[in-house]
Amino acid sequence: ITAYSAGVRYSPPLPRAHWQPFGQMLVGVAHSEGSLIHAQLGGGIYGASAFAASIGGGLDLRIRRHFSVRPIQAEYLATTFNNNSNNHQNILKMDAGVVFRFGGE
């Protein structure tokens, strides 16, 4: 599944803190190909798109002004592909990584 989404992110103002929590809410479109769609339609190569929504948050450790380490980000992603049952898929995502910020604060 590939999701394309946009939305809002909130980070409380903590000017001197090294740890920066954030929360976000996104909506958009998910696209899937392969066994999920293949099983629904039978044979051939198919693709389908569906509504997607995501809510989650995380924590950044500020190392420098434009560089942070993200030890954790957790998101719940819900999609609405037709699955001949309840048409909902629930996905929990856990991420970690590095953050590069460009421009102003």
Side-chain angles (χ1 to χ4, degrees):
I1 293 177
T2 303
Y4 303 93
S5 55
V8 296
R9 174 179 286 179
Y10 176 73
S11 297
L14 304 171
R16 300 238 185 256
H18 290 287
W19 293 95
Q20 179 65 60
F22 67 90
Q24 64 186 20
M25 201 158 104
L26 309 169
V27 295
V29 171
H31 181 77
S32 181
E33 295 180 358
S35 62
L36 177 65
I37 304 306
H38 179 78
Q40 292 175 20
L41 303 175
I45 297 174
Y46 297 96
S49 295
F51 173 78
S54 173
I55 187 166
L59 189 62
D60 290 343
L61 172 60
R62 187 175 299 152
I63 306 298
R64 298 270 186 249
R65 181 176 173 203
H66 296 288
F67 178 75
S68 298
V69 173
R70 181 165 295 162
I72 187 163
Q73 178 178 345
E75 282 184 53
Y76 164 71
L77 173 65
T79 60
T80 59
F81 289 104
N82 179 7
N83 63 3
N84 298 322
S85 177
N86 65 3
N87 299 336
H88 286 85
Q89 296 76 43
N90 303 296
I91 302 163
L92 178 62
K93 297 173 29 176
M94 302 292 282
D95 300 312
V98 295
V99 178
F100 297 98
R101 288 185 176 81
F102 300 97
E105 291 292 318

